[in-house]
DNA sequence: TCTTCCGTTGAGCATTCTGCTCATGCTCCG
DNA sequence: CGGAGCATGAGCAGAATGCTCAACGGAAGA
């Protein structure tokens, strides 16, 4: 990924529906170049799945919560699998430090969240959990600043 | 968002580059319908920004860390602004419970992370922080299970 | 310095998609 | 019953896509 790629991504971030042709003339590149680079980025995994763009909100799950957990390390694989079986579990990280797991969860409402938290706690191998509700998205997910820096070079 | 929308999103998740025509015939819907629904979803904010699809990894930031922080609540707006000024800060949530803030950070390497953590701690209004490195992505971000459920209806 | 390799570019071409409009039919609801 | 809202099929002009080719230039390496 070089600066040109970053510039393409920036333009794409501004207008997701932009066609290759539009990007090309906007960036002063040839259509072929843009096409090749976009293809390369998709191939090379620089672009994650489309799912990331879907707002859980729109699926009727306006609540986000983070569950931190301590786990019996030896049963990590098992725990991980069990968590993956819960639909509302959107993302799980293995962490360094005090807590072993960070589980990102979405829920339809408070009661739903309660149910899900319970289900997580019930997973064999999970020892302790703490649930924190995301009350506000102070900085919504973004990569533009980093992209800008990469594009500057 | 009804079941049909969910089905469209599922198909789109499987093949992000799929054209409207392809989706239509794959789902047994008319081209017009799919076009209208996709447009409606983009309009209605069901689809987040394109940035979400970009892997920080590809931008030279393979490390992810979560910084939790306690804040002087009265200076929350100020803190939020200062965090937004840090390019490596990818996402910030205001939480309920013990810790007030969850800051998602990406970094180029360990040293970079150290520097960023320091910068966060230096933000006026932030009282205490804990940094946890994401060592593994046990469940990569996904929404498919929820989508499937929504599509089933 | 010369050569090779790689990415960019412009061109061209057939095929396909898009954006838009219109009329029709269906279902839900007042 | 009448209307609103949505899905559908058709049609059309313009644009984009996918692909290939040849030429060019710069950078790395012999």
């Amino acid at each position: 990924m070089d600066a040109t790629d970053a510039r393409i991504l920036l333009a794409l971030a501004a207008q997701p529906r932009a066609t290759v042709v539009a990007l090309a003339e906007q960036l002063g590149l040839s259509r072929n170049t843009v096409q090749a680079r976009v293809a390369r980025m998709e191939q090379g995994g620089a672009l994650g799945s489309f799912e990331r763009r879907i707002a859980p909100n729109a699926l009727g799950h306006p609540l986000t919560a983070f569950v931190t957990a301590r786990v019996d390390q030896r049963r990590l694989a098992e725990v991980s699998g069990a968590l993956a079986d819960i639909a509302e579990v959107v993302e799980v990280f293995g962490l360094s430090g005090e807590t072993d797991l960070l589980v990102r969860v979405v829920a339809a409402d408070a009661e739903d969240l309660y149910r899900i938290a319970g289900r997580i706690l019930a997973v064999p191998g999970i020892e302790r959990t703490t649930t924190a509700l995301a009350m506000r998205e102070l900085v919504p997910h973004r990569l533009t600043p980093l992209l800008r820096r990469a594009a500057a070079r």
Side-chain angles (χ1 to χ4, degrees), chain A residues 1-128:
Chain A
M1 260 251 353
D2 62 2
T4 306
D5 281 343
R7 241 165 277 147
I8 294 178
L9 290 181
L10 263 178
L12 222 33
Q15 324 135 20
R17 306 282 295 169
T19 64
V20 171
V21 179
L23 292 177
E25 80 180 65
Q26 199 172 127
L27 298 169
L29 298 173
S30 103
R31 176 169 84 91
N32 264 343
T33 305
V34 177
Q35 208 147 13
R37 282 175 176 268
V38 172
R40 199 188 309 148
M41 289 195 269
E42 293 228 22
Q43 287 288 325
L47 297 181
S49 85
F50 177 87
E51 292 172 62
R52 293 180 171 278
R53 282 196 54 196
I54 304 173
N57 202 326
L59 268 83
H61 293 252
L63 260 43
T64 296
F66 292 91
V67 179
T68 54
R70 294 215 45 158
V71 213
D72 179 351
Q73 296 281 7
R74 289 161 302 183
R75 305 174 74 177
L76 190 55
E78 184 188 343
V79 168
S80 172
L83 288 176
D85 284 342
I86 306 176
E88 289 89 350
V89 167
V90 163
E91 204 173 16
V92 179
F93 287 98
L95 297 185
S96 73
E98 270 303 290
T99 55
D100 304 313
L101 249 49
L102 178 63
V103 185
R104 184 172 182 165
V105 163
V106 296
D109 52 43
E111 194 178 346
D112 195 29
L113 178 57
Y114 185 77
R115 183 183 58 78
I116 298 162
R119 216 174 137 194
I120 292 177
L121 190 49
V123 168
I126 287 195
E127 288 166 4
R128 210 176 327 170

